[in-house]
Structure formats: C-alpha cells, structure tokens
Amino acid sequence: MKQKVNYNNEIKNSQDQKFYTKRATVQALEAILYEPIKVLDHGFIRVIDYMGDDSAIVQSARVSYGKGTKMLNQDKGLINYLMRHYHTTPFEMCEIKLHIKLPIFIARQWIRHRTANVNEYSARYSILDKEFYLPDPKNIEIQSQSNKQGREGTLDSNQSKRVLDILREDALRCYDNYMDLLNLDEETGEIKDTNKEGIARELARMNLTLNYYTQWYWKIDLNNLLHFLRLRADSHAQYEIREYSNKILDIVSKWVPYTYDAFINYRKESVNLSKTGVEIIKKMIQGHSVSEENSSMSKREWNEFNKLFLK
C-alpha cells in the first residue's frame, strides 16, 4: 500500500531539540509539545508553538515590566475582571499554533472562523492518504425537526450498519477512482500504466468524498480562540467539531489556567439575558408571578428562559 507519512521521527526530533529562552514558557504545555492528541478515528491535534501565558495577559493589561504584581490572587482577579467586562485586547497578546488533522467536511465548517492564520495540506501538490472518517454508530442520528442544521435521535443497529456500509463503500470506491485518475498503483504509489497519462492532481481530488482527512497548521490568538471555543465546544455544535474543540479546551487549561477558569465561568457556562429577561428576574425576586403571556417575550425566547430558570 502507498506509504503514509510517518510523523514519529519528526515528533522525536522536534522534542529532542533544546533551546535557551528568556521568554515565558508553560511546563504543562511543554510536556505535550508536538505530541499528537487523538481525535475521532484518524484525526489529531498537536501543539507546535505558543507565545505568552497568563502573566503575559496581566502584563499587557497593566503595560508593565516583567511578570506584573507576582501576587497570584491579584493576577487571577485581573484576568477575571478582563473576561467579565469583555476587555479582549490583553488576551490577543497570547498565540498558539496547532497542527490539526481533520475530516474535510469539518475543515470547511471550521474555516468559517476567519480570525486565524491557516496553511492546509495541498492535494494539488501531494496525494491524499487513504484515510476517511466513519462515525461511531451511536453518533449516527436522524435530522432534527426543530433545528435545520442539527440532528437528534439514534437509528437502530440495522439502519446504522447500512449507513456505515454506504459511507465506507462510497469512500473506498472514490479513492480507487482517485488513484485510477492519477494513474497510480494504490499499493506502491508508482505509475500504474506507462502507456497512459494520469490527470492533474488538482482535478483528481474532486472525486474524493468529504469524509477524507486533510491537515493544516492553524495559528490563532487567545481571544479569537476563546470565541471559537465558546461556539464550537457548545452542546449545540456538531459532534465532530465539538470533539476537536473539547481537546483544544483541555490544551487551553494547561496553557493559561487562570484564563481557562475565567472563560468557563464568564463565557462557556454563563448565559446572556436581554433587558426583558433581567426585568423578569427582578419581578421573580420580588415575588411576582411571571408567565409566557405577561413576559413580553417571543415563544422561542420564553422557552429558552423557562429552560434556564424555571425548570
């Protein structure tokens, strides 16, 4: 079979390098630098590089020298204040670069977040590996009736097996045709028939299904990363991108633990209330009875409010 790229030597060589630096480093992140963190069936995330830590956020907020106050409670309190009041620019002083391997259909959803620097594996230049994503049967669900871009309710085992068979057969057939269009032998990666020409790689790639894996380097500042995670690590996000987001969230907890705690408290696990919602909360505290009819809310907003505070 065509040889897959083996990152083991690259990872070991990268980890064996030693550099002297005066810049801030984070030991918990250094410990996992370059290591692939498994996601889905063939995907991974690797931390390639980073700049800054919690103290860099504090330092930029105070525009001070060194590590600021060196009093941990004050630094943590300032980060909480910045997060709570949406003072975002100090968080932009930290950056991280990740190597990510992910299914193409997730990459196309991911790239909608346009606040990162991205360099993707080029299928115009190289041949894609024969690796495609197949969901776990428990994650094969039917179309949601209430959410046009969501899913809900699992299929029975026979239906799930049929779906997986279709996905697998289509992916394998498309890859066979992909190699045929390139005029390459799938086992060796060498030219298959010397009497014919393969078409250009940039054209042959059109034939592959969206569950094939691609890779990219993705560099982003911490403020925009947290915005990404607030949306994609949410329970309403698609399962597959949520799996990647949860792994990145764990990386953030190692990298900037104070910021991570503030993000969980003031963003991820918090709620936003409208002016009407605040007025209803005040009425409830004062002992007044509130219902959908006298709430001045739409049915959808009332249902969301009811789910959060009244059930």
Side-chain angles (χ1 to χ4, degrees):
M1 180 177 286
K2 184 172 73 71
Q3 184 68 36
K4 294 181 185 178
V5 177
N6 188 332
Y7 293 102
N8 290 337
N9 289 336
E10 177 191 336
I11 291 168
K12 187 176 187 309
N13 290 337
S14 297
Q15 290 176 327
D16 286 345
Q17 295 181 81
K18 302 295 181 185
F19 299 98
Y20 170 75
T21 179
K22 291 183 179 180
R23 69 178 180 85
T25 56
V26 180
Q27 289 308 307
L29 208 53
E30 293 286 325
I32 63 169
L33 209 59
Y34 308 117
E35 284 287 347
I37 300 167
K38 182 176 173 56
V39 192
L40 302 181
D41 49 1
H42 301 294
F44 62 70
I45 298 170
R46 293 199 302 151
V47 180
I48 300 300
D49 200 2
Y50 65 98
M51 180 181 76
D53 58 3
D54 279 325
S55 67
I57 298 163
V58 170
Q59 182 183 338
S60 65
R62 296 191 174 110
V63 196
S64 66
Y65 295 100
K67 287 206 169 188
T69 64
K70 297 184 182 295
M71 295 178 65
L72 299 183
N73 287 337
Q74 288 186 28
D75 286 357
K76 188 170 185 178
L78 177 55
I79 287 174
N80 285 337
Y81 177 87
L82 295 171
M83 187 73 70
R84 189 165 66 248
H85 292 281
Y86 289 85
H87 295 306
T88 58
T89 50
F91 298 103
E92 294 174 5
M93 300 300 151
C94 294
E95 293 189 347
I96 193 164
K97 180 163 63 178
L98 304 174
H99 176 194
I100 303 168
K101 182 177 179 181
L102 69 172
I104 293 171
F105 72 98
I106 294 302
R108 299 303 159 250
Q109 184 182 118
W110 193 308
I111 205 67
R112 289 180 58 82
H113 297 267
R114 294 164 289 181
T115 51
N117 305 113
V118 186
N119 196 54
E120 187 173 0
Y121 182 95
S122 175
R124 297 182 67 192
Y125 180 80
S126 302
I127 310 300
L128 285 171
D129 288 329
K130 189 177 182 178
E131 288 186 321
F132 51 87
Y133 169 64
L134 289 177
D136 190 284
K138 69 173 184 258
N139 293 316
I140 300 176
E141 301 173 87
I142 61 175
Q143 176 62 45
S144 170
Q145 297 302 308
S146 58
N147 181 358
K148 292 183 179 180
Q149 60 177 6
R151 59 200 191 197
E152 61 184 7
T154 56
L155 301 173
D156 65 42
S157 58
N158 289 332
Q159 291 174 307
S160 295
K161 182 180 181 305
R162 178 177 176 273
V163 170
L164 286 171
D165 287 344
I166 291 173
L167 292 173
R168 184 183 298 104
E169 289 167 10
D170 283 353
L172 289 171
R173 182 174 64 253
C174 286
Y175 196 85
D176 287 344
N177 289 332
Y178 170 63
M179 297 301 282
D180 186 52
L181 290 170
L182 293 169
N183 190 29
L184 295 177
D185 184 276
E186 187 179 317
E187 296 295 322
T188 64
E190 303 297 326
I191 293 174
K192 183 168 59 175
D193 186 346
T194 56
N195 294 318
K196 74 174 185 177
E197 298 290 336
I199 70 167
R201 294 175 183 135
E202 65 180 17
L203 293 172
R205 64 180 175 168
M206 292 190 300
N207 192 58
L208 291 175
T209 51
L210 291 177
N211 61 339
Y212 268 87
Y213 276 84
T214 185
Q215 300 182 40
W216 60 32
Y217 270 35
W218 192 68
K219 181 171 74 71
I220 191 167
D221 71 63
L222 180 56
N223 177 50
N224 284 302
L225 176 59
L226 295 178
H227 177 68
F228 171 88
L229 293 172
R230 185 178 67 82
L231 296 173
R232 299 304 185 177
D234 184 83
S235 60
H236 297 93
Q238 183 171 345
Y239 166 77
E240 286 78 11
I241 199 169
R242 197 167 70 241
E243 285 293 284
Y244 282 90
S245 299
N246 287 333
K247 299 292 186 182
I248 295 174
L249 197 56
D250 185 56
I251 290 170
V252 170
S253 73
K254 293 178 170 61
W255 176 28
V256 280
Y258 290 172
T259 300
Y260 169 82
D261 289 343
F263 170 71
I264 296 297
N265 193 28
Y266 296 110
R267 295 284 190 279
K268 190 174 185 300
E269 303 299 335
S270 68
V271 295
N272 290 322
L273 282 179
S274 64
K275 178 175 179 289
T276 303
V278 172
E279 290 172 350
I280 290 175
I281 292 290
K282 288 179 178 178
K283 288 180 181 178
M284 292 169 60
I285 291 173
Q286 293 167 2
H288 298 295
S289 177
V290 181
S291 64
E292 180 181 349
E293 290 70 26
N294 65 15
S295 69
S296 300
M297 286 182 171
S298 67
K299 182 177 181 60
R300 183 171 185 173
E301 186 179 2
W302 172 258
N303 287 339
E304 292 171 356
F305 181 87
N306 187 50
K307 185 178 179 180
L308 283 170
F309 299 107
L310 303 179
K311 284 190 174 178

